[in-house]
Amino acid sequence: MIDRQISTNKGFALIVVLWVLTLLAIMASSFALTIQRETAIISGVKEKAEASALAEAGINYAILMLFSSDEDLQWQAFNSLYEVNYTGKRVRIQISDESGLIDINGADKEQLQALFDSINIGEADSDSLSDAMLDWRDANDEQLLNGAEKDQYADAGLKYEPRNKPFASVEELQMVLGMNPDIYQQLQGMISIYSHASKVNPATASRAVLLTLPDVDEEMVDQYLQQRIENERNGEDITAPEWYRGSARGSGVYQIVAEVMIDKGVTQQTMAVIKKAQSGHGLPFQTLKWVKDYQQASLFLPENDMWIIN
């Protein structure tokens, strides 16, 4: 009887030990998994911080090269794409004079419609958004045919109304009735408030902007871009295409986008807008805008390889 009791106790103890060991194994696995996840998170945060710092360094390096006193080393701003290698990371930098963008305060109805048509949002939306933009920036409360003034904003349940003044920033465009994040995301690399011109300067415009110009097709634009980059590489003058003269003056305001390749398919972008003017710190430029985690089509897309200058 006593032997049976001892045997039962031993069996129970064995079960308890097995349960404890199983529980400890589960806890150890859970702890290891937690540590693994936290390590991955910390590694990702560190990598992102490093990439952000490198992108900012890319912006500053571009400014240095843009204003270099050595004309042979000086970088250009014809929507020009450069690539540098820093601490083993690839950094691509694109520089554009803002005169190559569509000024949302200067563009007329035709240009605004062409802008919206280029992203294929439909004729009705294109017409209403372009009129709503004109209503936002004009000085009166008279509604254009498909536009929107304060009554339409009130009917839409919005707590604000058109400013009846020029756009104070590109971001303000998001407040226009009918605008949505998807449309704005597609437009932001094509628009500006700094050129103060009604027409685009084709010498510094991107392919996307050039395709919004009247009576052009992809073949005409690509031929011009190929000639433009060849002239840049050879140090020759950049001229407007025969099919569109537009504005021939630069704005003295530059958009710089720096993108760092963190890992294959993973990148980090920073964007800055600078103005060529003496600053209060004695620098030859003023910073008008600085955007971390900027989002536009990647500069590392394979189709961009052919446009790298250096």
Side-chain angles (χ1 to χ4, degrees):
M1 185 75 173
I2 294 174
D3 289 342
R4 184 182 300 174
Q5 184 67 39
I6 292 172
S7 177
T8 300
N9 289 341
K10 286 182 177 179
F12 180 73
L14 179 61
I15 292 172
V16 170
V17 169
L18 290 174
W19 271 106
V20 170
L21 289 175
T22 302
L23 182 60
L24 288 174
I26 292 172
M27 290 175 64
S29 297
S30 177
F31 181 71
L33 183 59
T34 299
I35 292 296
Q36 188 177 33
R37 286 175 177 171
E38 289 183 354
T39 301
I41 290 171
I42 292 171
S43 177
V45 169
K46 180 184 176 182
E47 197 170 54
K48 183 176 176 62
E50 180 187 5
S52 181
L54 286 174
E56 290 190 19
I59 296 286
N60 288 303
Y61 184 66
I63 293 172
L64 179 67
M65 299 305 292
L66 186 62
F67 296 116
S68 173
S69 57
D70 188 336
E71 292 188 3
D72 292 333
L73 297 177
Q74 198 174 79
W75 281 8
Q76 304 301 312
F78 301 107
N79 203 55
S80 309
L81 182 61
Y82 298 88
E83 180 169 320
V84 296
N85 191 293
Y86 188 70
T87 65
K89 300 288 187 182
R90 295 167 64 199
V91 184
R92 284 192 177 179
I93 304 166
Q94 187 176 59
I95 311 176
S96 307
D97 188 296
E98 293 270 324
S99 63
L101 300 174
I102 296 168
D103 194 302
I104 57 176
N105 286 324
D108 59 16
K109 167 78 173 181
E110 182 181 8
Q111 178 65 83
L112 291 175
Q113 273 199 285
L115 172 65
F116 289 118
D117 289 343
S118 72
I119 60 172
N120 300 314
I121 65 170
E123 186 177 348
D125 287 337
S126 172
D127 198 36
S128 61
L129 276 169
S130 54
D131 272 359
M133 286 178 66
L134 294 172
D135 275 337
W136 181 277
R137 76 187 197 200
D138 65 25
N140 60 61
D141 291 320
E142 297 177 11
Q143 181 191 356
L144 294 173
L145 180 61
N146 296 296
E149 288 290 358
K150 58 184 180 182
D151 289 344
Q152 286 67 45
Y153 283 78
D155 291 343
L158 298 172
K159 304 301 183 184
Y160 60 87
E161 58 189 50
R163 293 180 73 242
N164 290 340
K165 291 180 180 179
F167 288 92
S169 68
V170 166
E171 289 77 13
E172 190 179 299
L173 180 59
Q174 297 174 91
M175 299 176 70
V176 170
L177 190 65
M179 184 61 62
N180 63 49
D182 179 60
I183 294 174
Y184 177 75
Q185 179 69 31
Q186 294 180 73
L187 296 180
Q188 69 170 348
M190 302 166 66
I191 56 179
S192 171
I193 62 164
Y194 300 112
S195 75
H196 306 296
S198 59
K199 292 188 176 182
V200 169
N201 179 357
T204 186
S206 67
R207 184 177 188 273
V209 170
L210 290 172
L211 287 172
T212 70
L213 302 179
D215 304 319
V216 300
D217 56 39
E218 291 189 1
E219 184 179 0
M220 295 164 63
V221 168
D222 289 339
Q223 285 179 353
Y224 172 66
L225 289 176
Q226 189 62 52
Q227 183 62 55
R228 192 172 78 180
I229 195 168
E230 287 177 8
N231 287 2
E232 274 197 89
R233 287 170 176 161
N234 296 327
E236 299 173 359
D237 291 339
I238 307 296
T239 58
E242 294 181 357
W243 38 263
Y244 182 81
R245 294 301 176 181
S247 171
R249 65 179 181 84
S251 65
V253 180
Y254 306 97
Q255 182 184 104
I256 305 173
V257 178
E259 183 173 357
V260 180
M261 176 66 77
I262 303 173
D263 199 355
K264 187 175 181 181
V266 181
T267 64
Q268 175 79 20
Q269 288 185 348
T270 295
M271 185 272 279
V273 177
I274 63 166
K275 180 179 181 180
K276 188 175 183 180
Q278 202 71 18
S279 73
H281 302 289
L283 298 172
F285 66 92
Q286 298 172 2
T287 302
L288 304 180
K289 189 175 183 178
W290 193 283
V291 182
K292 290 185 178 181
D293 296 323
Y294 187 66
Q295 295 182 355
Q296 70 164 25
S298 176
L299 301 178
F300 285 96
L301 291 173
E303 56 263 36
N304 290 326
D305 294 350
M306 65 183 293
W307 305 117
I308 297 173
I309 294 174
N310 58 339

